Coordinates of all heavy atoms in Angstrom, one line a residue:
M200 N 106.3 -77.1 -45.8 CA 105.7 -76.1 -46.7 C 105.5 -76.7 -48.0 O 106.3 -77.4 -48.5 CB 106.7 -74.9 -46.8 CG 106.3 -73.8 -47.7 SD 107.5 -72.4 -47.7 CE 106.7 -71.3 -48.8
K201 N 104.3 -76.5 -48.5 CA 103.9 -77.1 -49.8 C 104.2 -76.1 -51.0 O 104.0 -74.9 -50.9 CB 102.4 -77.4 -49.8 CG 102.0 -78.4 -50.8 CD 100.6 -78.8 -50.6 CE 100.4 -80.2 -51.1 NZ 99.1 -80.7 -50.9
L202 N 104.8 -76.7 -52.0 CA 105.2 -75.9 -53.2 C 104.4 -76.4 -54.4 O 104.0 -77.5 -54.5 CB 106.7 -76.2 -53.5 CG 107.7 -75.7 -52.4 CD1 109.1 -76.2 -52.8 CD2 107.6 -74.3 -52.2
F203 N 104.2 -75.4 -55.3 CA 103.6 -75.7 -56.6 C 104.7 -75.5 -57.6 O 105.4 -74.5 -57.7 CB 102.5 -74.6 -56.8 CG 101.9 -74.7 -58.1 CD1 101.1 -75.8 -58.5 CD2 101.9 -73.7 -59.0 CE1 100.5 -75.9 -59.7 CE2 101.3 -73.7 -60.3 CZ 100.6 -74.8 -60.6
I204 N 104.9 -76.5 -58.5 CA 105.9 -76.5 -59.5 C 105.2 -76.6 -60.8 O 104.4 -77.5 -61.1 CB 106.9 -77.7 -59.3 CG1 107.6 -77.6 -58.0 CG2 108.0 -77.6 -60.4 CD1 107.1 -78.6 -57.0
K205 N 105.5 -75.7 -61.7 CA 104.8 -75.6 -63.0 C 105.9 -75.6 -64.1 O 107.0 -75.3 -63.9 CB 104.0 -74.3 -63.0 CG 103.0 -74.3 -64.1 CD 101.9 -73.2 -63.8 CE 102.2 -72.0 -64.6 NZ 101.2 -70.9 -64.4
N206 N 105.4 -76.0 -65.3 CA 106.2 -75.9 -66.5 C 107.2 -77.1 -66.5 O 108.4 -77.0 -66.9 CB 106.9 -74.6 -66.7 CG 107.1 -74.3 -68.2 OD1 106.4 -74.8 -69.0 ND2 108.1 -73.4 -68.5
L207 N 106.7 -78.3 -66.1 CA 107.6 -79.5 -66.1 C 107.5 -80.2 -67.4 O 106.5 -80.3 -68.0 CB 107.1 -80.4 -65.0 CG 107.3 -80.1 -63.5 CD1 106.5 -81.0 -62.6 CD2 108.8 -80.0 -63.2
D208 N 108.6 -80.8 -67.8 CA 108.7 -81.6 -68.9 C 107.7 -82.8 -68.6 O 107.7 -83.4 -67.5 CB 110.1 -82.1 -69.2 CG 110.3 -83.0 -70.4 OD1 110.0 -84.2 -70.2 OD2 110.7 -82.5 -71.4
K209 N 107.0 -83.3 -69.6 CA 106.0 -84.3 -69.4 C 106.7 -85.7 -69.1 O 106.0 -86.6 -68.6 CB 105.1 -84.4 -70.7 CG 104.3 -83.2 -70.9 CD 103.2 -83.4 -71.8 CE 102.4 -82.1 -72.1 NZ 101.7 -81.5 -71.0
D210 N 108.0 -85.8 -69.4 CA 108.6 -87.1 -69.1 C 109.3 -87.2 -67.7 O 109.8 -88.2 -67.3 CB 109.7 -87.4 -70.2 CG 109.1 -87.6 -71.5 OD1 108.0 -88.2 -71.6 OD2 109.7 -87.3 -72.5
I211 N 109.2 -86.1 -66.9 CA 109.8 -86.1 -65.6 C 108.9 -86.9 -64.7 O 107.7 -86.8 -64.7 CB 109.8 -84.6 -65.0 CG1 110.8 -83.8 -65.8 CG2 110.1 -84.6 -63.5 CD1 112.2 -83.8 -65.3
N212 N 109.5 -87.8 -63.9 CA 108.7 -88.6 -62.9 C 108.9 -88.1 -61.5 O 109.8 -87.2 -61.3 CB 108.9 -90.1 -63.1 CG 110.3 -90.5 -62.7 OD1 110.9 -90.0 -61.7 ND2 110.9 -91.4 -63.5
E213 N 108.1 -88.6 -60.6 CA 108.2 -88.1 -59.2 C 109.5 -88.4 -58.5 O 110.0 -87.5 -57.8 CB 107.0 -88.7 -58.4 CG 105.7 -88.0 -58.7 CD 104.5 -88.9 -58.5 OE1 104.6 -90.1 -58.4 OE2 103.4 -88.2 -58.5
L214 N 110.2 -89.5 -58.8 CA 111.5 -89.8 -58.2 C 112.5 -88.7 -58.7 O 113.4 -88.3 -57.9 CB 111.9 -91.2 -58.6 CG 111.3 -92.3 -57.8 CD1 111.7 -93.7 -58.3 CD2 111.5 -92.1 -56.3
Q215 N 112.5 -88.4 -60.0 CA 113.5 -87.4 -60.5 C 113.2 -86.1 -59.9 O 114.2 -85.4 -59.5 CB 113.3 -87.3 -62.1 CG 113.8 -88.6 -62.8 CD 113.4 -88.6 -64.2 OE1 112.3 -88.2 -64.6 NE2 114.2 -89.2 -65.1
L216 N 112.0 -85.7 -59.8 CA 111.6 -84.4 -59.2 C 112.0 -84.3 -57.8 O 112.7 -83.4 -57.3 CB 110.1 -84.1 -59.4 CG 109.6 -82.7 -59.1 CD1 110.3 -81.7 -60.0 CD2 108.1 -82.7 -59.2
E217 N 111.7 -85.4 -57.0 CA 112.1 -85.4 -55.6 C 113.6 -85.4 -55.5 O 114.1 -84.7 -54.6 CB 111.6 -86.7 -55.0 CG 111.8 -86.8 -53.5 CD 111.2 -88.0 -52.8 OE1 110.1 -88.4 -53.3 OE2 111.7 -88.4 -51.8
G218 N 114.4 -86.0 -56.3 CA 115.8 -86.0 -56.3 C 116.4 -84.6 -56.5 O 117.3 -84.2 -55.8
L219 N 115.8 -83.9 -57.4 CA 116.2 -82.5 -57.6 C 116.0 -81.6 -56.4 O 116.9 -80.9 -55.9 CB 115.5 -81.9 -58.8 CG 115.7 -80.4 -59.1 CD1 117.2 -80.2 -59.5 CD2 114.8 -80.0 -60.2
F220 N 114.8 -81.7 -55.7 CA 114.5 -80.9 -54.6 C 115.1 -81.4 -53.3 O 115.4 -80.6 -52.4 CB 112.9 -80.8 -54.5 CG 112.3 -79.9 -55.5 CD1 112.2 -80.2 -56.8 CD2 111.8 -78.7 -55.1 CE1 111.7 -79.4 -57.7 CE2 111.2 -77.8 -56.0 CZ 111.2 -78.2 -57.3
A221 N 115.4 -82.6 -53.2 CA 116.1 -83.2 -52.0 C 117.5 -82.6 -51.7 O 117.9 -82.7 -50.6 CB 116.1 -84.7 -52.1
K222 N 118.1 -82.0 -52.7 CA 119.4 -81.4 -52.6 C 119.3 -80.2 -51.6 O 120.3 -79.8 -51.1 CB 119.9 -80.9 -53.9 CG 120.2 -82.0 -54.9 CD 120.6 -81.4 -56.2 CE 120.8 -82.6 -57.3 NZ 121.0 -82.1 -58.6
F223 N 118.1 -79.7 -51.4 CA 117.9 -78.5 -50.6 C 117.3 -78.8 -49.2 O 117.2 -78.0 -48.3 CB 116.9 -77.5 -51.3 CG 117.5 -77.0 -52.6 CD1 117.3 -77.7 -53.8 CD2 118.3 -75.9 -52.6 CE1 117.8 -77.2 -54.9 CE2 118.9 -75.5 -53.8 CZ 118.6 -76.1 -54.9
G224 N 116.9 -80.1 -49.0 CA 116.3 -80.5 -47.7 C 115.4 -81.7 -47.8 O 115.2 -82.2 -48.9
E225 N 114.8 -82.1 -46.7 CA 113.9 -83.2 -46.7 C 112.6 -83.0 -47.5 O 111.9 -82.0 -47.2 CB 113.6 -83.6 -45.3 CG 112.8 -84.9 -45.1 CD 112.4 -85.2 -43.7 OE1 112.8 -84.5 -42.8 OE2 111.7 -86.2 -43.5
V226 N 112.3 -83.9 -48.4 CA 111.0 -83.8 -49.1 C 110.1 -84.8 -48.5 O 110.4 -86.0 -48.3 CB 111.3 -84.2 -50.6 CG1 110.0 -84.3 -51.4 CG2 112.2 -83.2 -51.3
L227 N 108.9 -84.3 -48.1 CA 107.9 -85.2 -47.4 C 107.0 -85.9 -48.5 O 106.6 -87.1 -48.2 CB 107.0 -84.4 -46.5 CG 107.8 -83.7 -45.3 CD1 106.8 -82.9 -44.5 CD2 108.4 -84.8 -44.4
S228 N 106.6 -85.2 -49.5 CA 105.8 -85.8 -50.5 C 106.0 -85.1 -51.9 O 106.3 -84.0 -51.9 CB 104.3 -85.8 -50.1 OG 103.9 -84.5 -50.1
T229 N 105.7 -85.9 -52.9 CA 105.8 -85.4 -54.3 C 104.6 -85.9 -55.1 O 104.4 -87.1 -55.1 CB 107.1 -85.8 -55.0 OG1 108.2 -85.5 -54.2 CG2 107.3 -85.2 -56.3
K230 N 103.9 -85.1 -55.8 CA 102.7 -85.5 -56.6 C 102.7 -84.8 -57.9 O 102.4 -83.6 -57.9 CB 101.4 -85.4 -55.8 CG 100.2 -85.8 -56.6 CD 99.0 -86.0 -55.7 CE 97.8 -86.5 -56.4 NZ 97.9 -87.8 -57.1
I231 N 103.0 -85.5 -59.0 CA 102.8 -84.9 -60.3 C 101.4 -85.1 -60.7 O 100.8 -86.2 -60.4 CB 103.8 -85.6 -61.3 CG1 105.2 -85.2 -61.0 CG2 103.4 -85.1 -62.8 CD1 106.3 -85.9 -61.8
I232 N 100.7 -84.2 -61.3 CA 99.3 -84.3 -61.7 C 99.2 -84.8 -63.1 O 99.9 -84.3 -64.0 CB 98.6 -82.9 -61.6 CG1 98.8 -82.3 -60.2 CG2 97.2 -83.0 -61.9 CD1 98.4 -83.2 -59.0
Y233 N 98.4 -85.9 -63.3 CA 98.3 -86.5 -64.6 C 96.9 -86.4 -65.1 O 95.9 -86.3 -64.3 CB 98.6 -88.0 -64.4 CG 100.1 -88.3 -64.1 CD1 100.5 -88.5 -62.8 CD2 101.0 -88.4 -65.1 CE1 101.8 -88.7 -62.5 CE2 102.3 -88.6 -64.8 CZ 102.7 -88.8 -63.5 OH 104.0 -89.0 -63.2
D234 N 96.7 -86.4 -66.4 CA 95.4 -86.4 -67.0 C 94.7 -87.7 -66.7 O 95.4 -88.8 -66.9 CB 95.6 -86.2 -68.5 CG 94.3 -86.1 -69.3 OD1 93.6 -87.1 -69.5 OD2 93.9 -85.0 -69.6
T235 N 93.5 -87.7 -66.4 CA 92.8 -88.9 -66.0 C 92.4 -89.8 -67.1 O 92.1 -91.0 -67.0 CB 91.5 -88.6 -65.1 OG1 90.7 -87.8 -65.9 CG2 91.9 -88.0 -63.8
I236 N 92.5 -89.3 -68.3 CA 92.1 -90.1 -69.5 C 93.4 -90.6 -70.2 O 93.5 -91.8 -70.5 CB 91.3 -89.3 -70.5 CG1 89.9 -88.9 -69.9 CG2 91.1 -90.0 -71.8 CD1 89.1 -88.0 -70.6
T237 N 94.3 -89.7 -70.5 CA 95.6 -90.1 -71.2 C 96.7 -90.6 -70.3 O 97.6 -91.2 -70.7 CB 96.1 -89.0 -72.1 OG1 96.5 -87.9 -71.2 CG2 95.0 -88.5 -73.0
W238 N 96.6 -90.2 -69.0 CA 97.7 -90.5 -68.0 C 99.0 -89.8 -68.4 O 100.1 -90.2 -67.9 CB 97.9 -92.0 -67.8 CG 96.7 -92.5 -67.1 CD1 95.7 -93.3 -67.6 CD2 96.3 -92.2 -65.7 NE1 94.8 -93.5 -66.6 CE2 95.1 -92.9 -65.5 CE3 96.9 -91.5 -64.7 CZ2 94.4 -92.8 -64.3 CZ3 96.2 -91.4 -63.5 CH2 95.0 -92.1 -63.3
E239 N 98.9 -88.8 -69.2 CA 100.1 -87.9 -69.5 C 100.2 -86.9 -68.4 O 99.2 -86.4 -67.9 CB 100.0 -87.2 -70.8 CG 100.3 -88.0 -72.0 CD 100.3 -87.2 -73.3 OE1 100.2 -86.0 -73.2 OE2 100.5 -87.8 -74.3
S240 N 101.4 -86.5 -68.1 CA 101.6 -85.4 -67.1 C 101.0 -84.1 -67.6 O 101.1 -83.8 -68.8 CB 103.1 -85.2 -66.9 OG 103.3 -84.0 -66.2
K241 N 100.4 -83.4 -66.7 CA 99.8 -82.1 -67.1 C 100.9 -81.0 -67.0 O 100.6 -79.8 -67.3 CB 98.6 -81.7 -66.2 CG 97.4 -82.6 -66.5 CD 96.2 -82.0 -65.7 CE 94.9 -82.7 -66.1 NZ 93.8 -82.1 -65.5
G242 N 102.1 -81.3 -66.6 CA 103.2 -80.4 -66.5 C 103.3 -79.6 -65.2 O 104.0 -78.6 -65.2
F243 N 102.6 -80.0 -64.2 CA 102.7 -79.4 -62.9 C 102.7 -80.4 -61.8 O 102.2 -81.5 -62.0 CB 101.8 -78.2 -62.7 CG 100.3 -78.6 -62.6 CD1 99.7 -78.9 -61.4 CD2 99.5 -78.7 -63.8 CE1 98.4 -79.2 -61.3 CE2 98.2 -79.1 -63.7 CZ 97.6 -79.3 -62.5
A244 N 103.1 -80.0 -60.6 CA 103.2 -80.9 -59.5 C 103.1 -80.1 -58.2 O 103.3 -78.9 -58.1 CB 104.5 -81.7 -59.5
F245 N 102.9 -80.9 -57.1 CA 102.9 -80.3 -55.8 C 104.0 -81.1 -55.0 O 104.1 -82.3 -55.2 CB 101.6 -80.5 -55.1 CG 100.5 -79.6 -55.7 CD1 99.7 -80.2 -56.7 CD2 100.4 -78.3 -55.3 CE1 98.7 -79.4 -57.3 CE2 99.4 -77.5 -55.9 CZ 98.6 -78.0 -56.9
L246 N 104.8 -80.4 -54.2 CA 105.8 -81.0 -53.5 C 105.9 -80.4 -52.1 O 105.7 -79.2 -51.9 CB 107.2 -80.8 -54.2 CG 108.4 -81.5 -53.6 CD1 109.2 -82.1 -54.8 CD2 109.2 -80.5 -52.9
E247 N 106.0 -81.2 -51.1 CA 106.0 -80.7 -49.7 C 107.4 -80.9 -49.1 O 107.9 -82.0 -49.1 CB 105.0 -81.4 -48.8 CG 104.8 -80.8 -47.5 CD 103.6 -81.3 -46.7 OE1 103.0 -82.2 -47.2 OE2 103.4 -80.8 -45.6
M248 N 108.0 -79.8 -48.6 CA 109.3 -79.8 -47.9 C 109.0 -79.8 -46.4 O 108.1 -79.2 -45.9 CB 110.1 -78.6 -48.3 CG 110.3 -78.4 -49.7 SD 111.5 -79.5 -50.5 CE 113.1 -79.1 -49.6
A249 N 109.9 -80.5 -45.7 CA 109.8 -80.6 -44.2 C 109.9 -79.2 -43.5 O 109.2 -78.9 -42.5 CB 110.7 -81.6 -43.6
K250 N 110.9 -78.4 -44.0 CA 111.2 -77.2 -43.3 C 110.9 -76.0 -44.3 O 111.3 -76.0 -45.5 CB 112.6 -77.1 -42.9 CG 113.0 -78.1 -41.9 CD 114.4 -78.0 -41.5 CE 114.8 -79.1 -40.4 NZ 116.3 -79.1 -40.2
K251 N 110.3 -75.0 -43.7 CA 109.9 -73.8 -44.5 C 111.2 -73.1 -45.1 O 111.2 -72.7 -46.3 CB 109.1 -72.8 -43.7 CG 108.7 -71.6 -44.5 CD 107.7 -70.7 -43.7 CE 107.3 -69.6 -44.6 NZ 106.2 -68.8 -44.0
E252 N 112.3 -73.1 -44.3 CA 113.5 -72.4 -44.8 C 114.1 -73.1 -46.0 O 114.7 -72.5 -46.9 CB 114.5 -72.2 -43.7 CG 115.0 -73.4 -43.0 CD 114.2 -73.8 -41.7 OE1 113.1 -73.3 -41.5 OE2 114.7 -74.6 -40.9
D253 N 114.0 -74.5 -46.0 CA 114.5 -75.3 -47.1 C 113.6 -75.0 -48.4 O 114.1 -74.9 -49.5 CB 114.5 -76.8 -46.8 CG 115.5 -77.1 -45.8 OD1 116.4 -76.4 -45.5 OD2 115.3 -78.2 -45.1
A254 N 112.3 -74.9 -48.2 CA 111.4 -74.6 -49.3 C 111.7 -73.2 -49.9 O 111.7 -73.0 -51.1 CB 110.0 -74.7 -48.8
L255 N 112.0 -72.2 -49.0 CA 112.3 -70.9 -49.5 C 113.6 -70.9 -50.3 O 113.8 -70.2 -51.3 CB 112.4 -69.9 -48.3 CG 111.0 -69.7 -47.6 CD1 111.2 -68.8 -46.4 CD2 110.0 -69.1 -48.6
K256 N 114.6 -71.7 -49.8 CA 115.9 -71.9 -50.6 C 115.6 -72.5 -52.0 O 116.2 -72.1 -53.0 CB 116.8 -72.8 -49.8 CG 117.4 -72.2 -48.6 CD 118.4 -73.2 -47.9 CE 118.7 -72.8 -46.5 NZ 119.4 -73.9 -45.8
V257 N 114.7 -73.5 -52.0 CA 114.3 -74.1 -53.3 C 113.7 -73.1 -54.3 O 114.1 -73.0 -55.4 CB 113.3 -75.3 -53.1 CG1 112.7 -75.7 -54.4 CG2 114.0 -76.4 -52.4
I258 N 112.8 -72.3 -53.7 CA 112.2 -71.2 -54.6 C 113.2 -70.3 -55.1 O 113.3 -70.0 -56.3 CB 111.1 -70.5 -53.8 CG1 109.9 -71.4 -53.5 CG2 110.6 -69.2 -54.6 CD1 108.9 -70.8 -52.5
A259 N 114.1 -69.8 -54.3 CA 115.2 -68.9 -54.7 C 116.1 -69.5 -55.7 O 116.6 -68.8 -56.6 CB 116.0 -68.4 -53.5
A260 N 116.4 -70.8 -55.5 CA 117.4 -71.4 -56.4 C 116.8 -71.9 -57.7 O 117.5 -71.9 -58.7 CB 118.1 -72.6 -55.6
L261 N 115.6 -72.4 -57.7 CA 115.1 -73.1 -58.9 C 114.1 -72.4 -59.7 O 113.8 -72.7 -60.9 CB 114.5 -74.5 -58.5 CG 115.6 -75.5 -57.9 CD1 114.9 -76.8 -57.6 CD2 116.7 -75.7 -58.9
N262 N 113.4 -71.4 -59.1 CA 112.4 -70.6 -59.8 C 113.0 -69.9 -61.0 O 114.0 -69.2 -60.8 CB 111.7 -69.7 -58.9 CG 110.5 -69.0 -59.6 OD1 109.7 -69.7 -60.3 ND2 110.4 -67.7 -59.5
G263 N 112.6 -70.2 -62.2 CA 113.1 -69.6 -63.4 C 114.3 -70.3 -64.0 O 114.8 -70.0 -65.1
Q264 N 114.8 -71.4 -63.4 CA 115.9 -72.1 -63.9 C 115.4 -73.1 -64.9 O 114.2 -73.6 -64.9 CB 116.6 -72.9 -62.8 CG 117.3 -72.0 -61.8 CD 118.4 -71.2 -62.4 OE1 119.2 -71.7 -63.1 NE2 118.3 -69.9 -62.1
K265 N 116.2 -73.5 -65.9 CA 115.8 -74.4 -66.9 C 116.0 -75.9 -66.4 O 117.0 -76.2 -65.8 CB 116.7 -74.2 -68.2 CG 116.3 -73.0 -68.9 CD 116.7 -73.1 -70.4 CE 116.4 -71.8 -71.1 NZ 115.0 -71.5 -71.2
L266 N 115.0 -76.7 -66.7 CA 115.0 -78.1 -66.5 C 114.5 -78.8 -67.8 O 113.4 -78.6 -68.2 CB 114.2 -78.5 -65.3 CG 114.1 -80.0 -65.0 CD1 115.5 -80.5 -64.6 CD2 113.1 -80.3 -63.9
R267 N 115.4 -79.5 -68.5 CA 115.1 -80.1 -69.8 C 114.5 -79.1 -70.8 O 113.6 -79.3 -71.5 CB 114.1 -81.2 -69.6 CG 114.7 -82.4 -68.8 CD 113.8 -83.6 -68.9 NE 114.4 -84.7 -68.1 CZ 113.9 -85.8 -67.9 NH1 112.7 -86.1 -68.5 NH2 114.4 -86.8 -67.2
G268 N 115.1 -77.9 -70.8 CA 114.8 -76.9 -71.7 C 113.6 -76.0 -71.4 O 113.3 -75.1 -72.1
L269 N 113.0 -76.3 -70.2 CA 111.8 -75.5 -69.8 C 112.1 -74.7 -68.6 O 112.8 -75.2 -67.7 CB 110.6 -76.4 -69.5 CG 110.1 -77.2 -70.7 CD1 109.1 -78.2 -70.2 CD2 109.5 -76.3 -71.8
D270 N 111.6 -73.4 -68.5 CA 111.8 -72.6 -67.3 C 110.9 -73.0 -66.2 O 109.7 -72.9 -66.4 CB 111.6 -71.1 -67.7 CG 112.6 -70.6 -68.7 OD1 113.8 -71.1 -68.7 OD2 112.3 -69.6 -69.4
L271 N 111.4 -73.5 -65.1 CA 110.6 -73.9 -64.0 C 109.9 -72.7 -63.3 O 110.5 -71.7 -63.2 CB 111.4 -74.6 -63.0 CG 111.9 -76.1 -63.2 CD1 112.7 -76.6 -62.0 CD2 110.7 -77.0 -63.5
I272 N 108.7 -72.9 -62.9 CA 108.1 -72.0 -62.0 C 107.9 -72.7 -60.7 O 107.2 -73.7 -60.6 CB 106.7 -71.5 -62.6 CG1 107.0 -70.8 -63.9 CG2 106.0 -70.6 -61.6 CD1 105.7 -70.6 -64.7
V273 N 108.5 -72.2 -59.6 CA 108.4 -72.8 -58.3 C 107.9 -71.7 -57.3 O 108.6 -70.7 -57.2 CB 109.8 -73.3 -57.8 CG1 109.7 -74.0 -56.5 CG2 110.4 -74.3 -58.9
Q274 N 106.8 -72.0 -56.7 CA 106.3 -71.0 -55.7 C 105.5 -71.7 -54.6 O 105.2 -72.9 -54.7 CB 105.3 -70.1 -56.5 CG 104.2 -70.8 -57.2 CD 103.5 -69.9 -58.2 OE1 104.1 -69.1 -58.9 NE2 102.2 -70.0 -58.3
E275 N 105.2 -71.0 -53.6 CA 104.4 -71.6 -52.5 C 103.0 -71.9 -53.0 O 102.4 -71.1 -53.7 CB 104.4 -70.6 -51.3 CG 103.7 -71.2 -50.1 CD 103.7 -70.2 -48.9 OE1 104.4 -69.2 -49.0 OE2 103.1 -70.6 -47.9
A276 N 102.6 -73.1 -52.6 CA 101.2 -73.5 -53.1 C 100.2 -72.8 -52.2 O 100.4 -72.5 -51.0 CB 101.1 -75.0 -52.9
E277 N 99.1 -72.4 -52.9 CA 98.0 -71.8 -52.2 C 97.1 -72.8 -51.6 O 96.9 -73.9 -52.2 CB 97.2 -70.9 -53.1 CG 98.0 -69.7 -53.6 CD 97.2 -68.8 -54.6 OE1 96.0 -69.0 -54.6 OE2 97.8 -68.0 -55.3
E278 N 96.5 -72.6 -50.4 CA 95.6 -73.5 -49.9 C 94.3 -73.6 -50.7 O 93.9 -72.6 -51.3 CB 95.1 -73.0 -48.4 CG 96.3 -73.2 -47.4 CD 96.7 -74.6 -47.2 OE1 95.8 -75.5 -47.2 OE2 97.9 -74.9 -47.2
R279 N 93.8 -74.8 -50.8 CA 92.6 -75.0 -51.6 C 91.4 -74.3 -51.0 O 91.2 -74.4 -49.8 CB 92.3 -76.5 -51.7 CG 92.5 -77.1 -53.0 CD 92.1 -78.5 -52.9 NE 91.7 -78.9 -54.3 CZ 91.5 -80.2 -54.6 NH1 91.6 -81.1 -53.7 NH2 91.2 -80.4 -55.8
R280 N 90.6 -73.7 -51.8 CA 89.4 -73.1 -51.3 C 88.3 -74.1 -51.3 O 88.1 -74.9 -52.3 CB 89.0 -71.9 -52.2 CG 90.1 -70.8 -52.1 CD 89.7 -69.6 -52.9 NE 90.8 -68.7 -53.0 CZ 91.0 -67.9 -54.0 NH1 90.3 -67.9 -55.0 NH2 92.1 -67.0 -53.9
K281 N 87.4 -74.0 -50.3 CA 86.3 -75.0 -50.3 C 85.1 -74.4 -51.0 O 84.9 -73.3 -51.2 CB 86.0 -75.3 -48.8 CG 87.1 -76.0 -48.1 CD 86.7 -76.4 -46.8 CE 87.9 -77.1 -46.1 NZ 87.5 -77.6 -44.8

């Protein structure tokens, strides 16, 4: 299940984010979105969990929780429209 994570501190890297989410189950991929000109984090990421039930646990546990002073928004990612 793919998750959308928003309101990330700009200094968080993919390994740190994966480490936080791996406490709930296997993480298949992690991608923080960066500005193509400045290479600064845009403050959001996509993360894919191996099992849907683990992803639902992550949403319940981390959505609204503070990470480095910011309230995380964790939700199921919507499929891209063509």
